[in-house]
Amino acid sequence: MANHKSSLKRIRQTKTKALHNHYYAKTMRNAVRKLRAMTNKDEATALYPKVQKMLDKLAKTNVIHKNKAANLKSSLSKHINKLG
């Protein structure tokens, strides 16, 4: 167990931030899953900007890596373009 006040505080802060990040990462994963499951091009095109914005925000705050966000956006746009 930690002995210093500062390290105890750091443990508390880390737990809080991890919980916060986990919530937003899970929300992002669900949004990506929902978009991938869509078969209607119009609906998918309408949802894509919201998912894209979410990915950019999470990459900016280092919840996910910027390259992961770029890869997800790329694959989602490919998926939308394939829809008929």
Side-chain angles (χ1 to χ4, degrees):
M1 188 63 201
N3 290 324
H4 295 281
K5 268 187 154 181
S6 61
S7 57
L8 291 171
K9 182 178 179 181
R10 178 57 59 196
I11 290 168
R12 286 196 310 270
Q13 287 177 332
T14 305
K15 278 185 191 174
T16 306
K17 285 181 181 173
L19 187 65
H20 179 265
N21 290 344
H22 179 74
Y23 169 77
Y24 283 104
K26 184 70 172 175
T27 305
M28 177 268 304
R29 284 196 301 271
N30 287 336
V32 169
R33 233 178 256 133
K34 183 179 176 184
L35 187 62
R36 281 205 179 115
M38 287 186 172
T39 55
N40 186 351
K41 188 169 186 165
D42 294 332
E43 290 177 12
T45 307
L47 183 64
Y48 181 67
K50 293 174 186 156
V51 175
Q52 187 177 12
K53 184 177 177 182
M54 186 186 301
L55 289 168
D56 288 337
K57 279 186 176 181
L58 292 177
K60 187 173 86 173
T61 56
N62 292 322
V63 175
I64 61 172
H65 196 273
K66 63 177 183 160
N67 290 351
K68 181 184 176 85
N71 289 336
L72 283 171
K73 288 192 294 187
S74 173
S75 67
L76 289 173
S77 66
K78 283 180 190 173
H79 170 72
I80 291 171
N81 289 333
K82 282 183 187 175
L83 293 176

